[in-house]
Amino acid sequence: MKPTHPGHLVGVLVIVALIAWAVISRVYADLPLMPWTAIPTVLLLAIGEGYSGWVTKARIARKPGTKPVEPLAVARLAALAKASAYAGAGFGGLFAGFALYTVQLLDRDTPRTEFFVATGSFVSCVALVCAALYLEHACRIPTEQDEADQRD
């Protein structure tokens, strides 16, 4: 499995944001209010993935006091990281498109509230993408150069 390229994630985010903006501009009045619960949920996922990356990196490097990690567990974590990065980019694009549409309606109460919810959700999705990329990086097998740097 190849590492996730951040440019692909940005591309997914931009394309989904433009599609979401185009759709939302036509059906905004018919949509229900956006729930704020995505913000803490996605932030908790980001914290969990960031912590998993930190622990996995220490276990792969065989730091003192850590147990060796199973190769299959690392493969599963890498797959989770890749999926989370793309899901975070997709949902981040959806929230960005929503924020782009509602930013022009900030003089009204409901769109203003939805703008802040969409922006907070977008930021939490960006945090998830960053945590997923860190977890994916942590799942890499250290090269000989990395091991030599750790000994110094």
Side-chain angles (χ1 to χ4, degrees), residues 15 17 19 21 37 44 46-47 51-52 63 79 95 123 134 147:
I15 290 170
I19 292 170
W21 176 79
T37 53
L44 285 173
I47 290 168
Y51 177 75
S52 295
K63 301 245 172 156
F95 292 125
V123 170
Y134 175 70
E147 291 173 1

Side-chain angles (χ1 to χ4, degrees), residues 28-63:
Y28 178 73
D30 298 329
L31 294 175
L33 293 177
M34 182 179 290
W36 59 269
T37 53
I39 298 169
T41 304
V42 177
L43 282 177
L44 285 173
L45 289 172
I47 290 168
E49 286 201 25
Y51 177 75
S52 295
W54 180 63
V55 170
T56 302
K57 189 171 186 134
R59 290 178 70 185
I60 288 175
R62 298 187 180 173
K63 301 245 172 156

Side-chain angles (χ1 to χ4, degrees), residues 21 24 28 97-106 110-112 114-116 118:
W21 176 79
I24 290 168
Y28 178 73
F98 211 94
L100 285 173
Y101 179 74
T102 55
V103 74
Q104 61 192 349
L105 304 171
L106 289 178
T110 302
R112 184 179 327 121
E114 289 193 326
F115 169 76
F116 289 119

